[in-house]
């Protein structure tokens, strides 16, 4: 019987090459060395208060032309249920004023050394692209692209995905199937703990898909059912420093408040006379916030007593559309705490 070679010369050489130049799973993808080498920057967010390095934003533009003078008489504001758009303000949007407010916010961020990455053109027919927070969640090693709940917003995910790709930010997941989840319904508490809304805008399937990504990063997700038609937790809970948060206890369940108290977190209560959007602020560093100019004296005193410094921006023109400073910013890189 003729001798049969165990393998061809090519197979032998291939095996040897792959033995010498084998798989290198360590260090992990989300390590700084891997991200900087392969993706150009140390992308990712593991907390909500570390020094902010890069943020995704969208300057409002022609997409607001979809808003027509079609009042919703019973509730105020404007909208067309058949076309799917709505504007919550009791006056029509003032685009120049919105752009002025957004430019002021952008300037404040750049003055703090933040790299502002712009989305570019908005999704066709979608007039809420300015609220970038909802389309993307920054996590360790990159970002999760969400799936927006309401028809007026579905489609904003595509320009955001393009912007992330153009910037070189890794996309760790894109929500799919029947999942809906919006970034305003999510917050990092610390590097290993996050919290999210369970609401009309963050359904159980969306929560489950986000949780799978977080669990893979060693992060525990706390689920907080929101009352009624409250959609996002960033209207009631906002991290402003290490183990320090502004809270609207009227909109949080007792079990979550109790959890925060038991872990020793300092809770700064939003006074009843304050603008609700005061809470919708952004930490650019530990204990340093960008906040709407309408902050009440009582809240300002409470923040001062907690050692929190404030950069004020007049953002009212944008807030008439239903979102604030926090809603308009999607952090992509923060320093670890």
């Amino acid at each position: 019987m003729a001798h049969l070679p165990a393998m061809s010369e090519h197979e032998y050489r291939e095996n040897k090459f792959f033995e010498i130049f084998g798989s290198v799973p360590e260090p992990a993808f989300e390590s700084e060395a891997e991200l900087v080498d392969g993706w150009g920057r140390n992308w990712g967010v593991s907390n909500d208060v570390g020094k902010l390095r890069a943020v995704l934003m969208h300057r409002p533009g022609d997409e607001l032309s979809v808003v027509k003078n079609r009042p919703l008489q019973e509730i105020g504001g404007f909208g067309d249920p058949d076309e799917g758009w709505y504007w919550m303000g009791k006056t029509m949007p003032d685009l120049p004023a919105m752009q002025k407010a957004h430019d002021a916010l952008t300037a404040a961020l750049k003055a703090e050394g933040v790299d502002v990455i712009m989305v570019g053109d908005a999704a066709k027919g979608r007039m809420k692209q300015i609220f970038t927070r909802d389309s993307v969640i920054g996590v360790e090693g990159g970002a999760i692209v969400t799936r927006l709940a309401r028809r007026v917003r579905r489609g904003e995910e595509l320009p955001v995905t393009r912007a992330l790709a153009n910037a070189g930010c890794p996309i760790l997941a894109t929500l799919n199937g029947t999942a809906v989840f919006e970034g305003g319904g999510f917050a990092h508490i610390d590097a290993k703990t996050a919290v999210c809304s369970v609401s009309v805008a963050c359904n159980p399937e969306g929560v489950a898909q986000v949780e799978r990504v977080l669990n893979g990063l060693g992060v525990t997700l706390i689920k907080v059912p929101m009352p009624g038609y409250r959609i996002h937790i960033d209207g009631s809970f906002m991290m402003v420093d290490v183990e320090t948060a502004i809270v609207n206890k009227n909109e949080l369940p007792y079990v979550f408040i109790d959890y925060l108290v038991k872990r020793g977190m300092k809770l700064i209560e939003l006074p009843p006379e304050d603008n609700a959007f005061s809470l919708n602020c952004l930490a650019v560093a530990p204990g340093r916030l960008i906040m709407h100019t309408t902050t009440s004296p009582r809240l300002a005193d409470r923040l001062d007593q907690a050692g929190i410094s404030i950069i004020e921006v007049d953002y009212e023109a944008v807030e008439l559309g239903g979102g604030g400073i926090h809603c308009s910013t999607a952090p992509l890189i923060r320093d670890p705490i």
Side-chain angles (χ1 to χ4, degrees):
M1 183 175 180
H3 173 70
L4 297 175
M7 67 185 75
S8 69
E9 178 66 21
H10 170 75
E11 289 171 330
Y12 176 78
R13 293 179 67 249
E14 184 178 62
N15 285 342
K16 283 300 180 182
F17 267 103
F18 293 157
E19 179 182 346
I20 296 169
F21 302 99
S23 174
V24 186
E26 301 288 344
F29 174 88
E30 59 272 11
S31 70
E32 181 174 358
E34 285 288 285
L35 287 167
V36 172
D37 181 58
W39 297 84
R41 302 179 72 172
N42 188 23
W43 294 100
V45 176
S46 61
N47 63 82
D48 274 0
V49 298
K51 175 66 177 175
L52 185 60
R53 301 293 181 180
V55 66
L56 185 69
M57 298 178 69
H58 173 74
R59 188 175 190 263
D62 291 342
E63 68 271 12
L64 270 297
S65 63
V66 72
V67 180
K68 304 294 192 301
N69 190 7
R70 297 176 186 170
L72 296 171
Q73 300 292 351
E74 184 178 350
I75 60 174
F78 305 84
D80 188 317
D82 293 332
E83 294 182 5
W85 63 265
Y86 63 89
W87 174 260
M88 298 178 73
K90 293 185 178 180
T91 58
M92 291 282 284
D94 183 340
L95 180 57
M98 292 178 67
Q99 290 176 333
K100 181 179 178 181
H102 194 269
D103 290 346
L105 175 57
T106 301
L109 285 163
K110 289 181 176 179
E112 294 294 307
V114 181
D115 180 14
V116 177
I117 300 168
M118 289 294 184
V119 169
D121 293 337
K124 185 177 180 181
R126 301 294 183 255
M127 37 70 70
K128 290 182 175 285
Q129 192 83 58
I130 184 175
F131 300 133
T132 53
R133 171 76 56 167
D134 293 330
S135 301
V136 57
I137 299 170
V139 296
E140 189 177 6
I144 300 171
V145 175
T146 66
R147 183 169 183 255
L148 298 168
R150 287 150 289 162
R151 179 58 59 189
V152 69
R153 305 202 61 185
R154 189 72 52 74
E156 292 176 27
E157 303 92 340
L158 178 56
V160 163
T161 298
R162 288 172 173 158
L164 294 174
N166 288 336
C169 179
I171 297 173
L172 305 188
T174 299
L175 300 196
N176 56 76
T178 57
V180 293
F181 194 99
E182 298 180 352
F186 177 88
H188 294 278
I189 296 178
D190 59 32
K192 294 301 178 184
T193 315
V195 61
C196 77
S197 311
V198 181
S199 70
V200 68
C202 300
N203 71 2
E205 178 59 25
V207 171
Q209 290 188 26
V210 169
E211 185 171 33
R212 283 196 288 272
V213 178
L214 293 173
N215 287 170
L217 297 169
V219 178
T220 298
L221 182 64
I222 299 169
K223 297 94 168 176
V224 175
M226 299 304 290
Y229 283 88
R230 293 291 184 188
I231 57 176
H232 297 154
I233 200 167
D234 68 357
S236 53
F237 172 81
M238 186 67 58
M239 293 295 297
V240 295
D241 201 349
V242 178
E243 292 298 323
T244 304
I246 304 175
V247 294
N248 183 348
K249 290 184 177 178
N250 188 52
E251 297 182 3
L252 293 174
Y254 168 75
V255 289
F256 183 57
I257 297 171
D258 187 52
Y259 162 80
L260 297 174
V261 170
K262 286 180 177 176
R263 70 174 280 154
M265 183 172 289
K266 182 176 181 59
L267 302 181
I268 302 170
E269 291 189 48
L270 186 71
E273 72 272 17
D274 220 279
N275 180 348
F277 281 109
S278 294
L279 191 147
N280 196 280
C281 57
L282 177 72
V284 293
R288 185 163 176 79
L289 308 179
I290 299 180
M291 183 173 279
H292 192 193
T293 54
T294 55
T295 303
S296 71
R298 182 154 48 155
L299 179 58
D301 287 344
R302 290 177 179 179
L303 293 169
D304 185 60
Q305 290 168 12
I308 308 294
S309 62
I310 302 171
I311 306 160
E312 291 190 335
V313 173
D314 185 349
Y315 213 59
E316 184 174 5
V318 175
E319 291 173 354
L320 291 173
I325 289 169
H326 190 260
C327 303
S328 303
T329 51
L332 299 177
I333 303 175
R334 280 192 188 272
D335 286 356
I337 296 295

